[in-house]
Amino acid sequence: MAADANKGNAVVETIKTVVYALLIAGVFRTVFFQPFWIPSGSMKDTLLIGDFLFVNKMAYGYSYASCPTIRPLGIDAKTLCGFLDGDNTRVMGSEPERGDVIVFRHPVNGTDYIKRLIGLPGDTVQMKNGVLHINGEAVKVKDDGIFVEPAAPQGPQGLRPRCENGPVGTGGDCMKSRQIETLPNGVEHAVLNIGNQSSDNTPIYTVPQGHYFFMGDNRDNSTDSRVPQQAGGVGFVPYENIIGRADRIMFSSAGRSMLAFWTWRSDRYLKGIE
């Protein structure tokens, strides 16, 4: 009887340990950091498909969007914390800075997006002939060579990159023009260009109070604030929809799975995000 009791106690203790571990992991994920695996090429070459990073949730305080979304389990941030939604405020909130790379919830469909913050509340933003204009002034841009990647399926979705020198056969060099863009606050970052398209010439967007304007660094391959929500884009993003700031890549997988360690990119371990 004593052996059975000890066995029963061991099972109970194991279950308690697992429950505690899950609770601690849940609190850590909700309060401090959220893992994020880059699924698309909209932020190349700052972020590549397969980059794995943690989003700093402490950077801007907390809102309903800080609650975890775990789609495979049907858990959504609004399901858990929807009672906090609607006032466009944050607890212990601080303002994001222009140029920050930020993860946010899409204002309509709730999908997590990662883009660069370009426009602050009250700003005007416009693209003219492929050059970004903020508050009527063109940002400084200088050429910085060519970004080259294989013309082959990338990541778990098998996405093929768009090429400035396309069409390019599988295995060939896919090239894009690379430039360094300097934002009004002095933040410098790389942008890629593929060719002339409608997103290179836009209307003037005036960012409403309490909202932000985001763009991808891979300018011709990004669904972002340049496209209104009613047209399937991102539009203006409310303050409360911000999840956190991306500061550093932990590791990066060039394969179909982040567990395929033999495909990890050796030059991206603990790489800072600029």
Side-chain angles (χ1 to χ4, degrees):
M1 292 294 291
D4 290 340
N6 289 337
K7 185 176 181 180
N9 289 336
V11 171
V12 170
E13 289 303 316
T14 299
I15 293 173
K16 286 169 63 176
T17 299
V18 171
V19 170
Y20 291 152
L22 291 174
L23 287 174
I24 292 170
V27 170
F28 184 85
R29 190 179 190 280
T30 300
V31 177
F32 300 109
F33 298 96
Q34 174 177 315
F36 195 86
W37 193 32
I38 303 300
S40 75
S42 68
M43 282 294 292
K44 292 178 181 176
D45 64 340
T46 304
L47 297 172
L48 303 180
I49 295 176
D51 283 350
F52 181 83
L53 50 89
F54 283 99
V55 179
N56 180 0
K57 289 188 170 186
M58 299 176 286
Y60 312 121
Y62 303 91
S63 71
Y64 87 93
S66 303
C67 285
T69 294
I70 309 174
R71 297 198 181 279
L73 300 180
I75 298 175
D76 183 82
K78 281 198 173 182
T79 303
L80 295 174
C81 300
F83 64 94
L84 298 173
D85 182 22
D87 61 1
N88 204 21
T89 61
R90 308 181 72 85
V91 177
M92 297 187 293
S94 61
E95 297 295 328
E97 296 184 10
R98 196 192 312 275
D100 287 355
V101 176
I102 292 174
V103 174
F104 58 89
R105 281 178 58 90
H106 189 286
V108 176
N109 61 37
T111 302
D112 290 350
Y113 276 57
I114 185 165
K115 306 287 182 184
R116 189 177 298 276
L117 176 56
I118 297 298
L120 304 176
D123 282 346
T124 62
V125 179
Q126 184 181 24
M127 292 293 292
K128 296 168 64 175
N129 297 319
V131 177
L132 174 64
H133 288 65
I134 298 176
N135 296 324
E137 298 289 334
V139 302
K140 295 179 180 179
V141 177
K142 62 180 179 181
D143 293 336
D144 193 47
I146 301 294
F147 172 72
V148 182
E149 61 184 334
Q154 299 177 355
Q157 301 176 54
L159 301 175
R160 292 183 63 90
R162 291 179 58 206
C163 313
E164 187 176 10
N165 61 322
V168 178
T170 299
D173 285 342
C174 176
M175 301 181 182
K176 301 176 181 67
S177 296
R178 187 177 191 268
Q179 297 175 314
I180 300 298
E181 184 176 84
T182 303
L183 298 176
N185 60 344
V187 172
E188 294 185 345
H189 64 98
V191 295
L192 302 182
N193 291 289
I194 299 170
N196 295 321
Q197 57 186 52
S198 60
S199 59
D200 289 325
N201 291 280
T202 71
I204 297 174
Y205 301 101
T206 301
V207 185
Q209 292 300 315
H211 292 72
Y212 297 88
F213 193 99
F214 290 91
M215 294 175 64
D217 290 348
N218 191 1
R219 288 288 162 78
D220 295 334
N221 196 38
S222 174
T223 299
D224 49 40
S225 292
R226 289 172 289 179
V227 180
Q229 294 163 14
Q230 59 268 29
V234 172
F236 302 120
V237 177
Y239 182 43
E240 66 182 354
N241 281 48
I242 290 175
I243 294 173
R245 186 180 64 220
D247 294 326
R248 189 171 299 276
I249 299 162
M250 304 307 294
F251 66 89
S252 180
S253 172
R256 300 296 295 268
S257 168
M258 65 179 178
L259 300 179
F261 61 87
W262 57 91
T263 68
W264 288 5
R265 301 175 175 108
S266 60
D267 61 337
R268 297 185 73 78
Y269 292 120
L270 302 178
K271 180 180 175 64
I273 298 172
E274 299 178 351

